[in-house]
Amino acid sequence: SFHQIRKNEITQKSHLGQGTRTNIYEGVLKVSGGGELDLDYDYRELNNNSRDLRVVLKVLDASHQDIALAFFETASLMSQVSNIHLVFVHGVCVRESENIMVEEFVEHGPLDVCLRKDKSLISAGWKFVVARQLASALSYLEDKRLVHGNVCAKNILLARKGLEDGSSPFIKLSDPGVTFTVLSREERVDRIPWIAPECVRNVSSLSTAADKWSFGTTLLEICFNGEVPLKERTASEKERFYEKELGLPEPSFKELADLIGLCHTYNPAARPSFRTILRDLTQLQPHDLSDIGSISPDFS
Ligand code: ATP
Ligand code: MG
């Protein structure tokens, strides 16, 4: 259940990057406001009814039918939601053998890049705003009993950077991409430490509880300016880390560290609800806002 977009309605422009089994392009979507006749065309132009929208085209690699179905599942998930902090999916376009998700272009790109590039400009208050907005998007999904399945800083896009005085950031959580159930074990292990431990072993364990674990890891990325724990470890070291139920590094800000710790409980049932997480984040009044990630942990 998603809107079908005809191939002549989209124009593909520059390549933006690669995702999981996808290539991302900037593009333009022509949105027309009515009739097909040439006669109507001038009318539309005059009335500004035909608009060019800047979009992102997420083109799925040539793949088996089951993966295409998993891609459509994601498009359909995103078409069911309407929230200011979730990216807007216009629909899907089938262009010859290619399947393309057409979504809103978010101006300032992914959060992980911004965290690393602009770290000297980013305050703890800024990080809290981003964390709250993310928690509110996930609380919305939780209320609708929908699971995202791929929460990470790379999949958070900045509609507004909010780095100038008096402004604040505005984020949109992107779509999760190809549904997690069709990923190989290797691809799942590669998603450690974002992927919840129960999902490495068993794909059918994907639930809102898994989003809570990923949320915790994303908060760590935010605290540590885009640095990722376990990044340098090999696949088998990462797997062993989960098997031994070890703990990820903690940020120096105690209250936030406690919240992340709750999200990173190995027992999925013991993780707090997003409603609770959002309430806690709203109540947290960081006394020393300048210092939430300053003690750099051992990422080796
Ligand atoms: P995954 O499923 O692994 O998230 P993906 O297909 O979503 O894969 P990403 O790696 O998340 O791919 O995105 C690739 C790049 O495309 C990002 O680094 C970002 O620069 C850009 N990008 C993705 N979505 C958008 C968007 N809505 N607006 C602007 N840029 C985007
Ligand atoms: Mg993505």
Side-chain angles (χ1 to χ4, degrees):
S1 55
F2 46 77
H3 178 64
Q4 278 187 28
I5 293 168
R6 279 169 294 170
K7 62 185 178 190
N8 58 5
E9 292 174 300
I10 54 170
T11 313
Q12 185 166 314
K13 296 175 117 185
S14 61
H15 187 242
L16 295 176
Q18 265 180 318
T20 310
R21 312 206 185 174
T22 53
N23 270 290
I24 320 276
Y25 299 86
E26 191 185 334
V28 175
L29 172 66
K30 195 162 227 36
V31 187
S32 57
E36 308 281 334
L37 295 169
D38 273 351
L39 199 80
D40 288 329
Y41 193 73
D42 289 347
Y43 174 82
R44 281 207 305 272
E45 290 287 297
L46 272 172
N47 290 276
N48 217 2
N49 274 341
S50 172
R51 299 179 294 147
D52 281 349
L53 282 182
R54 198 174 178 200
V55 291
V56 153
L57 304 177
K58 201 169 266 198
V59 184
L60 184 66
D61 297 347
S63 61
H64 296 295
Q65 192 59 29
D66 56 338
I67 292 165
L69 281 174
F71 197 57
F72 293 152
E73 228 170 81
T74 294
S76 143
L77 163 84
M78 294 306 286
S79 302
Q80 288 172 57
V81 299
S82 168
N83 183 277
I84 50 170
H85 293 301
L86 289 172
V87 95
F88 183 80
V89 171
H90 291 283
V92 169
C93 175
V94 178
R95 186 175 67 186
E96 275 77 55
S97 63
E98 289 179 317
N99 299 303
I100 306 169
M101 203 176 334
V102 181
E103 64 184 46
E104 150 188 30
F105 187 94
V106 185
E107 193 64 31
H108 298 285
L111 176 67
D112 61 334
V113 174
C114 175
L115 286 167
R116 287 190 285 266
K117 217 179 64 193
D118 298 317
K119 60 168 168 264
S120 60
L121 302 170
I122 291 176
S123 67
W126 188 98
K127 293 178 176 185
F128 260 90
V129 172
V130 168
R132 263 184 235 129
Q133 292 178 356
L134 179 60
S136 80
L138 291 167
S139 177
Y140 167 87
L141 290 177
E142 177 180 65
D143 285 346
K144 301 200 96 180
R145 295 171 201 280
L146 296 171
V147 180
H148 186 274
N150 196 3
V151 178
C152 57
K154 183 195 74 174
N155 280 339
I156 296 168
L157 301 156
L158 288 155
R160 199 168 61 217
K161 269 199 172 179
L163 291 171
E164 304 83 38
D165 270 348
S167 81
S168 58
F170 195 95
I171 63 138
K172 285 177 184 273
L173 177 61
S174 176
D175 71 274
V178 177
T179 306
F180 170 93
T181 45
V182 298
L183 299 185
S184 66
R185 185 179 170 83
E186 195 188 358
E187 285 170 314
R188 299 202 304 275
V189 168
D190 198 49
R191 289 194 180 177
I192 295 173
W194 292 276
I195 189 173
E198 67 274 13
C199 296
V200 178
R201 284 171 242 129
N202 182 358
V203 280
S204 63
S205 305
L206 185 65
S207 68
T208 295
D211 280 346
K212 295 165 188 168
W213 179 287
S214 312
F215 173 79
T217 306
T218 306
L219 283 192
L220 283 181
E221 291 183 273
I222 294 170
C223 288
F224 299 138
N225 303 319
E227 273 187 81
V228 182
L230 309 186
K231 194 176 155 205
E232 307 299 326
R233 305 277 188 100
T234 65
S236 57
E237 283 171 337
K238 286 180 176 181
E239 273 200 89
R240 232 173 300 131
F241 189 92
Y242 273 9
E243 274 158 21
K244 289 196 215 141
E245 306 204 346
L246 299 176
L248 290 160
E250 288 185 359
S252 52
F253 183 55
K254 172 83 168 55
E255 282 82 352
L256 210 48
D258 289 347
L259 183 62
I260 294 168
L262 291 172
C263 294
H264 284 165
T265 308
Y266 277 82
N267 172 11
R271 296 172 202 151
S273 70
F274 280 115
R275 186 171 288 240
T276 305
I277 292 170
L278 183 58
R279 192 198 55 210
D280 288 358
L281 276 173
T282 307
Q283 282 170 358
L284 273 182
Q285 288 298 334
H287 20 270
D288 184 6
L289 275 175
S290 62
D291 206 29
I292 60 174
S294 64
I295 296 177
S296 203
D298 179 12
F299 279 149
S300 57

